[in-house]
Amino acid sequence: MKTAFFPGSFDPPTNGHLDIIARAARLFGRVVVGIGINMEKRTALSFEDRRQLFVELVGPIARATGAEIEVVSFTGLTVDAARKVGAGVILRGVRDVDDFSYEMRLAGLNGALSPAIDTLFLPATSGLGTIASSFVKDIARHGGDISAFVPPQVADRLRAVLAVDGSKPSASA
Ligand code: ADP
């Protein structure tokens, strides 16, 4: 069975990420979502929050497509994580030319590190290409409506976390 590895920070998971996963699930028998853990980067949602949200959100996609969809964490090199889960393909979404030039460099480096693992780009679906996790967090922090960008359970979790955080002085930095 062909496996694709979809790595990212997913802080938070968005409709753009889920669209890529749904399309990948029609192309591959198994899709492994890899939540990258970077100890130096403070995230809005904990790894466990992101994992639980994904597990809930990919369930219907797996049922609709028949693909196996798993959610794992990883540290270190993406190619090593892809190899560990048995993936021959690293999947990345591309929203615009900025993503494209960044992703091209990343794909080149990963290809040099591990020629046996290929990178596949999926272009953002029309209407979803403006969604970025960082913008979603900014909008949520300022009390804006994020319901067009993330599923309701993600919006709820993000609001809860930011509300708790907002009471701490360090969150305003
Ligand atoms: P990273 O921290 O690795 O940049 P992200 O969590 O921001 O990861 O995104 C993971 C992957 O999903 C990346 O390939 C990114 O380009 C892609 N992506 C993010 N948002 C969208 C979107 N709205 N549509 C399509 N692909 C997206």
Side-chain angles (χ1 to χ4, degrees):
M1 186 189 296
K2 293 247 183 243
T3 299
F5 184 61
F6 183 40
S9 317
F10 308 114
D11 183 41
T14 68
N15 293 342
H17 297 136
L18 290 166
D19 180 65
I20 296 287
I21 294 168
R23 288 158 65 199
R26 294 199 293 267
L27 297 169
F28 294 89
R30 182 169 165 255
V31 178
V32 181
V33 178
I35 302 175
I37 307 289
N38 180 348
M39 292 304 177
E40 282 150 34
K41 225 161 108 182
R42 190 171 177 271
T43 54
L45 296 183
S46 66
F47 161 69
E48 196 45 37
D49 274 346
R50 284 174 282 163
R51 192 192 66 82
Q52 272 176 18
L53 286 165
F54 261 132
V55 166
E56 199 179 323
L57 292 164
V58 300
I61 301 174
R63 283 192 290 280
T65 58
E68 285 176 21
I69 309 180
E70 293 162 37
V71 184
V72 301
S73 68
F74 75 100
T75 52
L77 296 176
T78 304
V79 286
D80 289 340
R83 199 179 298 117
K84 196 171 152 204
V85 300
V89 165
I90 292 172
L91 186 69
R92 297 286 289 177
V94 175
R95 288 164 288 193
D96 54 22
V97 287
D98 291 331
D99 269 0
F100 184 72
S101 55
Y102 172 72
E103 295 294 343
M104 276 299 289
R105 279 187 290 157
L106 214 56
L109 291 170
N110 284 332
L113 288 171
S114 184
I117 299 176
D118 222 330
T119 295
L120 182 72
F121 298 152
L122 284 182
T125 291
S126 172
L128 298 177
T130 51
I131 304 175
S133 294
S134 55
F135 295 153
V136 169
K137 276 182 286 194
D138 279 349
I139 295 168
R141 265 190 204 107
H142 293 99
D145 180 7
I146 54 171
S147 60
F149 313 126
V150 296
Q153 51 272 66
V154 174
D156 287 349
R157 191 70 204 120
L158 200 55
R159 265 194 294 268
V161 165
L162 295 176
V164 171
D165 251 23
S167 63
K168 291 182 196 158
S170 60
S172 59

